Amino acid sequence: MKRIPDYKKEFTIIRFLCEKGPTSINDIADHLVRTLEMKFSTARTATIRIINRLVDLGIVSIAGSDRRGTKLYDLTPRGVSEIMIVLAETSGINPEFVLGPISRYAPQLLEKAKEYVKLVKAYNEACKKIESIIGERKTDDEECLFIDGLYFVNELGEGEEIKDWSDLEKDMMKTIKALIESFLNLPDLMVKTSSRKPRKYRKKYGELFNIVIEVLRETLPQISDPDIKRLVRNTLEEISRETETEIKVKNMVRKSIKELLNGI
């Protein structure tokens, strides 16, 4: 039987907890057996080790027990906050699984969380379209990048102040603001990190920027939550005022942002 890397087990467990809710060690191990074709004894040992680590980091906690007294585990508010931060920075992963714990513990935030999911999906779409232009193929496993990102964000203490589900809304809005900023920085970021002649694609900046604007033009009118609409508007206006680049590019950015604001 081939060796399964730890990050794949960790990602599978985190997504399962999000989707399933309070779950026992044995149920999680059963899920690893079904999805990763592991032996139950190996899966159980890995589950205990991973869950203990996630508990130590504050990402997971004991969420009660079943009728037999078996401990059940689920995501914490801090864990969900940090997962949302990382999903907004990791293109290629469907973010919908994060809606599970929010629907269970903070249903009043579910509509805002759905708007967040729309924006992350749009960001992923823009990344793929730009990748197709610059001919860049990702070789890194997105699940690996997600787990590395989650541990990094956790180490920085990004979600440390999120003690309760009522604290999640402020952090979610902060993540959405950062996501909108990332949209407008996407062409620069992807060209700089490209393994192929960045100078060549700098000449195509306008084309790459227009891809981002087109995706935003399709997505932003779908945002219905008034608080998020206001946040998006304010963020775009800030970016328009603070753009520091050559005049030609600055004018293009400001004109595009004005069009986006008119469409919201």
Side-chain angles (χ1 to χ4, degrees), residues 17-203:
L17 285 175
C18 282
E19 294 170 346
K20 180 84 163 43
T23 313
S24 69
I25 292 291
N26 283 352
D27 283 347
I28 297 170
D30 278 334
H31 183 67
L32 292 183
V33 170
R34 291 193 303 273
T35 56
L36 301 181
E37 299 181 349
M38 298 173 66
K39 291 181 180 178
F40 180 79
S41 59
T42 307
R44 192 174 190 282
T45 300
T47 297
I48 292 170
R49 175 171 49 80
I50 291 168
I51 288 293
N52 284 341
R53 182 180 186 189
L54 294 174
V55 168
D56 288 343
L57 294 175
I59 296 170
V60 166
S61 68
I62 297 171
S65 57
D66 62 16
R67 288 177 295 178
R68 295 168 295 180
T70 303
K71 290 178 182 177
L72 303 177
Y73 296 87
D74 204 354
L75 277 301
T76 63
R78 173 180 181 171
V80 170
S81 173
E82 291 175 346
I83 287 169
M84 293 182 82
I85 291 171
V86 178
L87 284 172
E89 298 171 351
T90 312
S91 63
I93 292 179
N94 188 330
E96 288 185 358
F97 67 83
V98 81
L99 296 177
I102 294 172
S103 67
R104 289 192 293 276
Y105 302 115
Q108 74 279 11
L109 298 179
L110 186 57
E111 291 309 310
K112 280 184 169 59
K114 287 179 179 178
E115 305 280 43
Y116 156 87
V117 165
K118 284 180 195 173
L119 289 168
V120 174
K121 284 183 172 181
Y123 184 80
N124 290 350
E125 180 187 349
C127 285
K128 286 178 184 175
K129 288 184 175 181
I130 291 178
E131 283 167 9
S132 69
I133 295 291
I134 64 176
E136 190 76 3
R137 291 183 181 178
K138 287 198 172 181
T139 55
D140 295 321
D141 190 315
E142 294 292 351
E143 294 176 5
C144 181
L145 293 175
F146 172 86
I147 292 298
D148 286 347
L150 182 61
Y151 288 144
F152 179 70
V153 164
N154 181 271
E155 187 178 347
L156 291 177
E158 292 286 347
E160 200 168 6
E161 296 179 1
I162 312 299
K163 306 293 185 185
D164 191 79
W165 291 101
S166 59
D167 300 327
L168 187 61
E169 181 175 4
K170 183 178 178 181
D171 221 55
M172 188 190 304
M173 299 296 275
K174 183 176 159 186
T175 300
I176 291 172
K177 177 179 171 63
L179 181 58
I180 296 299
E181 292 169 346
S182 294
F183 259 108
L184 278 299
N185 290 327
L186 191 56
D188 267 335
L189 175 65
M190 295 195 73
V191 166
K192 284 176 183 175
T193 58
S194 171
S195 61
R196 302 166 182 257
K197 303 179 181 177
R199 287 184 183 178
K200 174 183 176 183
Y201 294 107
R202 283 206 171 283
K203 295 177 182 177

